[in-house]
Amino acid sequence: RLKDWRRIATRYDRCATTFLSAVALAATVIFWL
């Protein structure tokens, strides 16, 4: 059970990291425009 929770947590963490990097990239593009 703990292993399943850890797998879900890492998956959500990866999604959050990807989302934040995408937001930062979009903010940089908007800033340069």
Side-chain angles (χ1 to χ4, degrees):
R1 183 170 291 180
L2 185 65
K3 198 172 291 183
D4 289 340
W5 183 85
R6 186 179 294 161
R7 186 167 63 232
I8 293 171
T10 51
R11 186 192 306 151
Y12 275 112
D13 191 49
R14 192 177 301 119
C15 287
T17 306
T18 306
F19 176 74
L20 283 175
S21 60
V23 169
L25 187 66
T28 305
V29 172
I30 291 171
F31 179 75
W32 281 109
L33 291 178

